[in-house]
Amino acid sequence: FDEDRKKSMDDHLAETERMTFQESLGTVRQRSDRLARLAGTVARALGADDSIAGLATKAGLYAKADLGAGLVSELSSLQGVVGSEYAAAEGMEPEVCAALACQYDVSRIKEGEIVALALLIADQLDKLAGYLGIDKAPSGSSDPFGLRRAATILIQASGLAASDFGGYEELFDHAVAGYAEQSIEIDTDVAKKHLVEVFEGRYQAMLEGYSHDVLESVISGADSSDLLDPASTEFRAEVMSKLADSAELVQTATRPLNIVSAAIEKGNDSFLEVGGALSAEGLDSAEGAALLSAVNEKFERAEELAGSRSVDDFVQLVKELDQPINSFFDTTMVMVDDEKVRDQRLALLKVTGDLLLMAGDFSKIFIEG
C-alpha cells in the first residue's frame, strides 16, 4: 500500500500497458480507453447529462488502473476496491470512486447511481464484444471467460436503469466499434449472433416464474433488439403467460402465423410485396375489411403499450382481436385461385401476425388435450 501510494493513478494506469487483456484483444491499457468511451455513451443512454457522462468516461478510464498496483497483484480480490481508495486519496470525484469500487458487483449499485451503473454495463459489454467477436462463446458447461455471468449482470443491471434505455443492441454496437477504432479485428456478425444466444440462455435460467413454452414463445417471436432488451423480454413473458391461459385464444392467434409460414415455405411469397397496397377493397371480404380495420386501429396502440410495459392493457388488446380473426376465418377462404385477392388476404394475416408477435409466437404454446 505504501509503495502504491508513491504513484499516481496515471502511473498505475501506465503500468497496464504491459498487461494483456487477451492475446487477440489488445492490452489492458487499450481496454481502458475503450471503457472510457463506452461508459460515457452508456451514461447518456441512461439519461445522463454531459457532466455525469463525463464522470462515467473518467471512471471508465481508471477502472482497471489498479491492476497495475502492487496491492492488487498480492490480493486480486481487492480489484476495484483498491482503485477506489487510491482515487479518493487523489481527490477524484465521489461518483467516480464509488463506480470503481462496485464495478464488479451489481448488487452494490443503487437505482440512480448512473456513473457506477454505466461503468458496470460498459465493462460487461466490452468483455462480451471482444470474446464473442473472436468466437469464444460458451459451450455446454464450459464458460472459461465468464460470459454467461457477464450477460446475467447486464440483465440484472437493466432493472436499475431509471429510464427505459432501449436495451443493449445499440450499446453493444458501440462496444464493437471500440475495438474497430483500435484496429483490433473482431467479427461483428459472429459477436451479435453469440450475444443473442447467450441472452436467450440466461432468460431460460433467470425467468423462473414462467413456463418453458411461454419463454420459448417469447424468444422465438422476437428480433434481436427485443431479445437484447431485458425489460421488453420480461414484459412479453408476462403478457404471454396471461394469454396462454386461454386455449381458444392461443388457437385463434396461431392460425394467422401458421398460414403465413406455410405459404412462404411453399414459395407463395408474393404477398410480402403488397405492403401499402393492402386495402379493404382488395380483400373482397367484409370480414377481412373488419379485421384490417381492427388491426390498423390497434397496431400503433400496441406499440405504445409495449413501450410503456402496460401488461394488462396489452393483454386486453390482443383478446379484442379474437372475434375479428375468427370471423374472418369462418367466412373467408385465404388460398383462393385469384392471385391478387390471395396476396391481399395473406398480407392481412401477415400484418395481423406481426401485431400478435409483439406478445410472442403463439405456435410455441403447449395446449393440453
Side-chain angles (χ1 to χ4, degrees):
F1 177 84
D2 291 337
E3 288 300 311
D4 284 345
R5 288 295 310 280
K6 294 176 182 178
K7 298 178 181 179
S8 67
M9 286 290 281
D10 284 323
D11 292 331
H12 292 307
L13 182 62
E15 291 290 331
T16 64
E17 292 178 359
R18 299 195 294 269
M19 298 179 179
T20 300
F21 170 48
Q22 201 279 343
E23 59 183 353
S24 300
L25 302 175
T27 65
V28 174
R29 180 66 184 83
Q30 286 176 295
R31 185 166 194 243
S32 297
D33 287 332
R34 293 196 304 271
L35 289 178
R37 171 185 176 278
L38 186 56
T41 299
V42 173
R44 290 186 178 88
L46 294 173
D49 58 21
D50 288 344
S51 175
I52 297 299
L55 294 178
T57 298
K58 186 172 183 177
L61 179 63
Y62 291 105
K64 308 303 175 185
D66 67 358
L67 297 181
L71 187 53
V72 170
S73 69
E74 293 291 333
L75 297 168
S76 61
S77 62
L78 294 180
Q79 291 176 31
V81 177
V82 168
S84 175
E85 293 296 329
Y86 293 170
E90 205 166 290
M92 288 191 185
E93 296 84 351
E95 297 92 338
V96 173
C97 299
L100 300 185
C102 54
Q103 62 182 290
Y104 299 103
D105 187 355
V106 65
S107 68
R108 296 181 60 185
I109 301 176
K110 298 179 177 62
E111 186 173 329
E113 294 181 341
I114 294 181
V115 176
L117 186 60
L119 175 58
L120 179 133
I121 289 173
D123 191 12
Q124 306 309 317
L125 286 173
D126 178 81
K127 180 179 182 179
L128 285 162
Y131 281 102
L132 297 178
I134 57 173
D135 206 16
K136 298 291 185 181
S139 176
S141 61
S142 175
D143 186 15
F145 308 111
L147 303 184
R148 292 191 181 106
R149 180 174 183 275
T152 297
I153 290 172
L154 289 177
I155 292 171
Q156 294 171 332
S158 71
L160 296 173
S163 61
D164 180 9
F165 65 100
Y168 292 114
E169 183 170 50
E170 186 173 344
L171 292 175
F172 187 73
D173 291 339
H174 283 288
V176 169
Y179 285 93
E181 289 184 358
Q182 295 177 343
S183 300
I184 296 174
E185 293 186 10
I186 61 175
D187 190 317
T188 302
D189 293 335
V190 167
K192 179 68 70 69
K193 173 179 174 292
H194 285 321
L195 184 69
V196 169
E197 292 169 348
V198 173
F199 265 69
E200 288 178 357
R202 291 295 81 205
Y203 290 136
Q204 296 282 7
M206 296 174 69
L207 298 180
E208 298 177 345
Y210 304 101
S211 64
H212 177 78
D213 61 332
V214 164
L215 290 178
E216 181 65 22
S217 74
V218 167
I219 290 171
S220 175
D223 58 21
S224 61
S225 62
D226 280 330
L227 286 171
L228 297 179
D229 183 348
S232 175
T233 299
E234 188 160 8
F235 162 76
R236 288 181 291 109
E238 183 68 16
V239 168
M240 185 58 77
S241 69
K242 294 190 174 187
L243 292 172
D245 288 338
S246 171
E248 294 80 6
L249 177 62
V250 171
Q251 290 172 331
T252 296
T254 298
R255 294 183 73 181
L257 301 174
N258 285 347
I259 290 176
V260 168
S261 177
I264 293 174
E265 287 180 7
K266 293 177 181 178
N268 298 321
D269 58 0
S270 55
F271 70 92
L272 296 173
E273 305 298 324
V274 171
L278 177 59
S279 67
E281 295 78 12
L283 289 165
D284 192 25
S285 163
E287 290 75 16
L291 177 56
L292 177 60
S293 177
V295 170
N296 285 340
E297 176 189 338
K298 297 179 184 301
F299 209 100
E300 185 174 345
R301 175 63 174 158
E303 292 177 325
E304 293 173 355
L305 293 175
S308 62
R309 317 298 186 213
S310 302
V311 173
D312 290 338
D313 289 339
F314 196 98
V315 168
Q316 181 59 35
L317 181 147
V318 173
K319 288 181 176 179
E320 289 171 1
L321 287 172
D322 183 75
Q323 187 275 328
I325 292 174
N326 280 326
S327 293
F328 173 73
F329 282 118
D330 288 344
T331 61
T332 309
M333 180 176 289
V334 177
M335 304 304 289
V336 293
D337 292 334
D338 188 320
E339 183 177 358
K340 289 184 178 180
V341 174
R342 182 176 69 239
D343 282 351
Q344 286 278 316
R345 293 175 181 178
L346 284 169
L348 170 62
L349 296 182
K350 173 66 166 59
V351 72
T352 302
D354 288 343
L355 194 161
L356 295 170
L357 285 170
M358 291 186 198
D361 185 347
F362 285 85
S363 68
K364 303 297 182 182
I365 297 298
F366 174 73
I367 301 176
E368 293 185 5

